[in-house]
Amino acid sequence: MSTGEGPVTTRHTMQPAPPSQLPMVNMYRLTVRHLFLGSAFVLLLLAVVIPNSLPVPTAAMIGLSCLLSFPAMRMGQGLRNLLTLYLYSVIVTIIYMVVGGLHHATMVAQAQVAAVYILSPLAWVFIADGLCRYLGVERLIDWFIGLSILCCASVAVFFYLFLTRGAAAVSFFFEGANVNLAEGFSGATMHVYGSMIFLCGGFFSSPEVIKHRSLRFSLLAMLLICALTSGRSALILSVPSGFVLGWLFSSRTVGHAKTSVMTRTVRYGIPVAIAIVAVLFILQSYTKISLSVVLNTVTNKLASGGGFERSQMARSLYAGILDNGGLGSGHGVGVDYVSDPIHPWRYELVWLATLYRVGLLGTIIYVLPFFLYTAWVIKLAISCRLTSQHKFMFCGFVCAFLGTNTNPYIEAFSLQWMYVIPLVAMFVDYPMILKRMPK
C-alpha cells in the first residue's frame, strides 16, 4: 500500500567532535594559531622594519604565513566581496599581460607583473584576514607600535654606521646607500621610509591608540625626527596629512563624538605640540639640520612637480596615454622615458603609469576596492561609528596611497601590507558594524 510519501533522503551534516576528541582539536587550533602569529610577526619584521633588504626570506615568510592562515579562514560576506573585486582585477591583469605580450613585453616583466599583481596581493589578503581574526585590529596596532620603535632604531643605526664606517657598513639596509648632510639639509636612502609613511600617517592621526602617555610623546617625536631627516617629501608630508585627517575625523570617532572642541584640541594638539617642540630642541641643540631648509626643499620639490625627472616621466606617460587613446598599452611595456634601466617598464608615478598600462576602465577596476573602502569609512564617520583603530588604518592608508605618486611602493610585494591590511580589516568588520547600527 502506498503511503503517498516520497523516498526518504538522508542529509549528511558535519557532526561536532566527540567530547573525548575536543582537547586534541583545541590543541591543534591553538598550535596553528601560535604558528601563524609567530610567522606573521616575523613577516612584519621583515616587511615593515627592513623592507626589500631580504627579499627571498620575505617572500618565503609570505608563503608560509599564507598557508598557516587557511585554518583560521571564515569566508564571511566581507571577505567574499573583497575576493570578488580581486577577481575582477586579476581578469584585467591577465588581459593586459596578453596585450603587453603583443607589444613585445619581456618574459621577466610578465613574471614580475603576475607575482606583484596576482599572487602577492592574494597572499596578503589571506594573511591580513588571519591577523584580523586571530589577533584583532586593536592588538595589531600594538604590534605596529613596537615595529615603529624598531623602524626608528634602524634609522638611527643607519645614520651612525654610515657616518662612522661608510656606505659599506649599511649595504644591508640599502645597496648604494647615501646620506646627505649639507647646508642644513638631511636626507638618506632607506627602504624603511616607505613603511614609515603609513606609520606616521596613522599615529599622527590617532595618537590615542598609543595608551601609555610617555610612549605616545616619545614615539611621535621619534617618528617626526625620522621624517624630517629623511629628505623624503612623501614621508615629511605624511605627518601634517595624518594630523589633519585625524583632526577632521576626531569629532566623528566612537567615544569622541560628544567631546567639546577644546577637549579635542587638548587631546590631539598637545601630544603633537610636545613632539614638535622636543624635536626642534634636539635638532637645534645636537645637529646642524635647519627646519626651514628642509621645508623649503620640500616646497620647491612640490612646486616643480616632484623634480625634473618626475616631470619628464609624467610628460612621457601622458603622451603614451594619448597615443593609446586611454585603452592601455599593456603590462610590462614602457614609454620613451626610462626611469630604471634594469626594469624599464617601472615608473615612480604609479597611478599615471597604471592608466597608461591598463587604460581608464582597467584603472577604475583596480581602484574600486580602495574607493569602496574610503566610502565605507566616510559612512561610518558620518554615523559616528568610526573607531580609533580604523581611523588609524585609514589615515595611514591614505598617506601611503598618496605616496605611490612618488615611489612604486604598491608594486613592491614587501610593502603591499600598507594597502591590503586596512582594506581587509574594514571589509571583515564592516558587515558586523552594520548589524550593530540602528535602522
Side-chain angles (χ1 to χ4, degrees):
M1 179 181 292
S2 173
T3 61
E5 297 179 357
V8 177
T9 59
T10 302
R11 178 176 294 176
H12 297 280
T13 58
M14 183 175 293
Q15 299 295 327
S20 60
Q21 296 182 8
L22 285 178
M24 185 178 298
V25 172
N26 292 336
M27 181 63 70
Y28 166 76
R29 291 175 178 172
L30 188 62
T31 302
V32 172
R33 179 179 185 272
H34 287 162
L35 288 174
F36 169 75
L37 291 178
S39 65
F41 185 77
V42 173
L43 170 61
L44 290 179
L45 277 175
L46 295 170
V48 178
V49 181
I50 50 172
N52 296 332
S53 295
L54 296 172
V56 175
T58 303
M61 291 308 301
I62 289 176
L64 177 60
S65 299
C66 180
L67 292 175
L68 292 173
S69 70
F70 291 153
M73 190 180 302
R74 300 291 183 271
M75 197 61 68
Q77 184 62 45
L79 186 59
R80 286 200 300 269
N81 292 339
L82 183 57
L83 290 176
T84 299
L85 295 173
Y86 163 77
L87 180 60
Y88 294 155
S89 72
V90 170
I91 293 172
V92 170
T93 300
I94 292 174
I95 290 173
Y96 280 96
M97 285 177 65
V98 174
V99 174
L102 296 176
H103 287 90
H104 310 293
T106 65
M107 291 300 297
V108 174
Q110 298 283 48
Q112 290 192 7
V113 168
V116 170
Y117 281 81
I118 299 177
L119 299 179
S120 179
L122 182 62
W124 275 114
V125 165
F126 291 145
I127 293 168
D129 179 67
L131 285 169
C132 292
R133 296 188 184 280
Y134 274 140
L135 201 62
V137 178
E138 185 173 357
R139 181 61 179 154
L140 179 57
I141 292 176
D142 290 339
W143 278 20
F144 280 130
I145 293 173
L147 292 170
S148 298
I149 296 173
L150 293 177
C151 287
C152 295
S154 72
V155 173
V157 170
F158 179 92
F159 271 86
Y160 173 77
L161 291 178
F162 185 93
L163 295 175
T164 57
R165 301 185 182 182
V170 294
S171 59
F172 168 78
F173 293 101
F174 196 99
E175 192 67 33
N178 186 34
V179 171
N180 180 11
L181 296 174
E183 299 179 355
F185 179 78
S186 174
T189 51
M190 288 190 72
H191 294 301
V192 73
Y193 289 143
S195 301
M196 297 185 79
I197 294 175
F198 176 92
L199 298 172
C200 284
F203 285 119
F204 276 92
S205 72
S206 309
E208 72 274 12
V209 299
I210 309 174
K211 301 300 189 298
H212 300 286
R213 185 170 300 178
S214 58
L215 177 60
R216 183 185 308 165
F217 299 148
S218 301
L219 182 55
L220 292 178
M222 287 189 292
L223 289 172
L224 184 57
I225 290 175
C226 291
L228 292 176
T229 58
S230 68
R232 299 290 186 91
S233 300
L235 177 53
I236 295 172
L237 291 175
S238 68
V239 173
S241 299
F243 177 75
V244 171
L245 282 172
W247 177 270
L248 293 175
F249 282 116
S250 63
S251 62
R252 318 301 302 179
T253 306
V254 174
H256 305 292
K258 297 181 180 180
T259 57
S260 65
V261 175
M262 181 60 68
T263 301
R264 292 197 301 272
T265 301
V266 171
R267 181 173 294 159
Y268 287 91
I270 287 182
V272 176
I274 292 177
I276 292 175
V277 171
V279 167
L280 292 179
F281 174 77
I282 293 172
L283 294 180
Q284 183 70 27
S285 302
Y286 300 100
T287 72
K288 297 181 180 179
I289 299 171
S290 172
L291 182 62
S292 61
V293 172
V294 173
L295 295 181
N296 284 336
T297 302
V298 172
T299 303
N300 293 335
K301 198 170 185 178
L302 290 175
S304 63
F308 176 77
E309 292 186 357
R310 289 194 179 95
S311 298
Q312 292 294 107
M313 187 188 306
R315 292 191 187 95
S316 296
L317 288 171
Y318 277 126
I321 293 168
L322 292 176
D323 288 342
N324 63 41
L327 299 177
S329 297
H331 275 297
V333 179
V335 291
D336 294 336
Y337 184 89
V338 177
S339 175
D340 184 351
I342 301 177
H343 309 102
W345 63 89
R346 291 183 182 176
Y347 297 98
E348 293 177 339
L349 306 177
V350 169
W351 290 111
L352 196 58
T354 301
L355 187 59
Y356 165 74
R357 293 165 183 160
V358 301
L360 180 60
L361 181 59
T363 302
I364 291 173
I365 293 175
Y366 278 165
V367 177
L368 187 57
F370 305 130
F371 175 80
L372 289 177
Y373 173 50
T374 303
W376 288 352
V377 169
I378 294 174
K379 182 177 180 179
L380 292 178
I382 291 174
S383 61
C384 297
R385 297 276 178 166
L386 183 65
T387 64
S388 295
Q389 289 74 29
H390 281 298
K391 176 160 68 76
F392 167 89
M393 289 288 186
F394 177 72
C395 295
F397 160 80
V398 169
C399 292
F401 191 84
L402 294 175
T404 57
N405 283 318
T406 62
N407 244 306
Y409 298 119
I410 200 170
E411 293 183 339
F413 68 89
S414 60
L415 287 170
Q416 287 180 338
W417 61 268
M418 299 190 295
Y419 311 94
V420 176
I421 290 179
L423 208 66
V424 172
M426 178 56 69
F427 269 78
V428 169
D429 283 354
Y430 189 71
M432 294 182 287
I433 296 173
L434 282 183
K435 290 180 181 178
R436 297 195 296 265
M437 290 178 63
K439 296 182 180 179

